[in-house]
């Protein structure tokens, strides 16, 4: 079975497409081309795999939940321990690739919009770690509000890295200005 969606225009049959500000089109096309090249570049893939193994700690261990398996009548239950990854969640897996791609493209910063803060923490951590000689600066944008109450620890950790945008619109506008710079 082959998978050929979305098409070159970003459509899934009659659905989809690109619905972004025209000012972002050139940056998105540049990103799309760099990503396509990185996906087929063995050197990029080797560096990505290396970072996942040695920085993130992948593959994440699997834990056999023996008592839970017994309680459920014999079905063997295993838990994948993504919480043991560096930064405490699965989000760092994606951020490693983003930081490596940004470095490859010569971009000076990595930007994330985040609600509860875990993606922002992962972005900032990876950007600072992977800066190398280029010194990419992290700039996660955090929206304040209920996530900081519901998720106090990621919000606290993110506050050490990130400027705070009081409203989502401010965060998005700041993100767009920095991305096309």
């Amino acid at each position: 079975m082959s998978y050929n969606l979305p098409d070159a225009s970003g459509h899934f049959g009659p659905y989809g497409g690109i619905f972004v500000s025209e000012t972002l089109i050139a940056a998105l096309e540049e990103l799309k081309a760099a990503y396509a090249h990185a996906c087929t570049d063995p050197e990029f893939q080797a560096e990505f795999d290396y970072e996942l193994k040695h920085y993130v700690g992948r593959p994440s261990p699997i834990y056999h939940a023996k008592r839970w398996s017994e309680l459920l009548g014999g079905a063997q239950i295993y838990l994948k321990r993504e919480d043991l990854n560096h930064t405490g969640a699965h989000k760092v897996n994606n951020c490693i690739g983003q930081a490596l791609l940004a470095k490859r493209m010569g971009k000076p910063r990595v930007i994330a919009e985040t609600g509860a803060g875990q993606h922002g923490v992962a972005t900032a951590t990876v950007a600072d770690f992977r800066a190398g000689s280029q010194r990419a600066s992290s700039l996660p944008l955090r929206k304040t509000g209920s996530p900081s109450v519901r998720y106090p620890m990621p919000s606290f950790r993110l506050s050490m890295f990130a400027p705070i945008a009081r409203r989502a619109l401010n965060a998005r506008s700041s993100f767009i200005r920095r991305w096309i710079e």
Side-chain angles (χ1 to χ4, degrees):
M1 178 176 163
S2 75
Y3 183 77
N4 59 0
L5 295 174
D7 66 17
S9 300
H11 289 85
F12 294 82
Y15 307 103
I18 299 174
F19 301 98
V20 296
S21 170
E22 195 173 322
T23 59
L24 294 177
I25 296 296
L28 287 172
E29 290 298 325
E30 177 189 12
L31 179 62
K32 183 179 175 182
Y35 176 74
H37 185 261
C39 285
T40 60
D41 180 3
E43 213 173 282
F44 182 88
Q45 293 300 317
E47 185 177 10
F48 181 61
D49 291 344
Y50 178 88
E51 297 299 351
L52 287 178
K53 181 177 182 180
H54 296 286
Y55 184 71
V56 177
R58 292 195 67 77
S60 302
I62 295 176
Y63 171 76
H64 180 225
K66 184 177 177 184
R67 288 189 297 165
W68 198 19
S69 297
E70 291 168 0
L71 182 68
L72 293 174
Q76 298 306 300
I77 307 299
Y78 290 85
L79 306 174
K80 186 155 174 62
R81 298 296 310 271
E82 293 291 308
D83 59 310
L84 298 176
N85 289 344
H86 189 48
T87 74
H90 66 279
K91 291 165 176 48
V92 70
N93 302 321
N94 184 30
C95 293
I96 288 282
Q98 291 173 348
L100 291 175
L101 190 58
K103 180 181 167 194
R104 176 186 204 132
M105 295 173 68
K107 300 299 181 184
R109 52 180 131 352
V110 179
I111 303 172
E113 181 180 4
T114 185
Q118 284 190 313
H119 191 96
V121 169
T123 300
T125 303
V126 168
D128 286 345
F129 171 75
R130 286 302 308 146
S133 60
Q134 191 177 7
R135 190 62 190 145
S137 61
S138 58
L139 186 65
L141 299 171
R142 179 172 63 108
K143 297 178 291 191
T144 60
S146 60
S148 60
V149 174
R150 288 186 309 218
Y151 310 105
M153 192 50 155
S155 294
F156 168 73
R157 290 169 66 197
L158 183 58
S159 70
M160 294 185 289
F161 291 107
I164 298 171
R166 296 274 173 217
R167 297 178 39 207
L169 179 61
N170 294 350
R172 277 190 289 281
S173 295
S174 181
F175 161 76
I176 290 170
R177 274 194 306 277
R178 285 173 174 85
W179 193 39
I180 60 177
E181 288 175 352

